[in-house]
Amino acid sequence: MEHENNKQQVVECVATSAEAEQENEPLIEDEMERSKVGIMRALCDRQDPSTKEVDDLMIRRFLRARDMDIEKASALFLKYLAWRKTVLPKGYIPESEIANDLSHNKVCMQGHDKKGRPIIVIIGNRHSPSKGNPEEFKRFVVYTLEKICARMPRGEEKFRAIVDLQGWGYSNCDIRGYLAALSTLQDCYPERLDKLYFVRAPYIFMTAWKVIYPFVDTNTKKKIVFVENKKLTPTLLEDIDESQLPDIYGGKIPLTPIQDSH
């Protein structure tokens, strides 16, 4: 009897999900994806009713991050819901809580790529772990990701990032901070990153990269590109119009600190 009730819940949830899509959300066209989203929603809703508050595209992102494995995706998603209640009880990170990290203007956001995805630029040599607080930096990472997601046009799920490492040195190296940021991106904002360009990377950065690389999951590794200095502007222009490219890379837009972007 319990099995039948569970089955009925799944069927009802799939139907409700489809109706919600038609009314409010971009349609998930793939039938297999749509079915798995409905099943995963029903399973997660039984353990955490706040599942009702998220859209189908979010559930699909968690599924895609775990290669459409419902069990693994559900475990990751439920962990995310618990994390969000702890880290974002107000639904956002107050700028007053991350004033130090914001003051260094280490992350800028402006412009969109040719598909309308927002672009962020991370200035590696403006991050100094000795002058910061690890917990504040974690909150700053969440603030940044929330701000990027809020900037995405309707129907778009991804963003592009340029990590500029010109002038990066050992005083900027923060393995713990980098791993915390990577974990937050992969576990709490899966399938949000479209591509990450490392540009102007000095040779010494590769020492830190060798430590970080084993923690990068397979799906994320496919999205990371190290760009040669002599090919920097042409490579970025393949995906970003000159009018939307930061001026430091030969484009038209001046860098704008993320807290000042609208």
Side-chain angles (χ1 to χ4, degrees), residues 183-197:
S183 174
T184 300
L185 173 67
Q186 293 182 160
D187 296 345
C188 304
Y189 298 85
E191 293 300 303
R192 282 300 199 181
L193 176 68
D194 179 66
K195 188 177 284 188
L196 186 154
Y197 307 91

Side-chain angles (χ1 to χ4, degrees), residues 42-58:
L43 293 172
C44 291
D45 185 59
R46 290 171 60 198
Q47 296 185 59
D48 190 332
S50 65
T51 298
K52 293 185 178 70
E53 297 169 15
V54 309
D55 63 22
D56 286 353
L57 296 182
M58 176 177 280

Side-chain angles (χ1 to χ4, degrees), residues 214-249:
F215 296 92
V216 183
D217 69 31
T218 304
N219 288 336
T220 304
K221 283 175 181 172
K222 297 172 186 174
K223 302 169 184 178
I224 296 173
V225 179
F226 278 84
V227 183
E228 293 179 46
N229 288 347
K230 61 184 178 181
K231 297 179 180 178
L232 177 53
T233 299
T235 299
L236 295 176
L237 285 173
E238 288 175 10
D239 299 309
I240 305 167
D241 283 324
E242 185 181 21
S243 65
Q244 298 295 304
L245 189 67
D247 54 10
I248 61 172
Y249 306 124

Side-chain angles (χ1 to χ4, degrees), residues 249-261:
Y249 306 124
K252 304 288 188 183
I253 300 182
L255 289 179
T256 304
I258 191 166
Q259 65 270 28
D260 299 329
S261 62

Side-chain angles (χ1 to χ4, degrees), residues 79-90 93 139:
K79 183 180 174 185
Y80 158 76
L81 291 179
W83 169 87
R84 192 171 182 91
K85 287 168 189 168
T86 303
V87 177
L88 287 159
K90 300 176 183 177
I93 301 288
R139 290 195 297 275

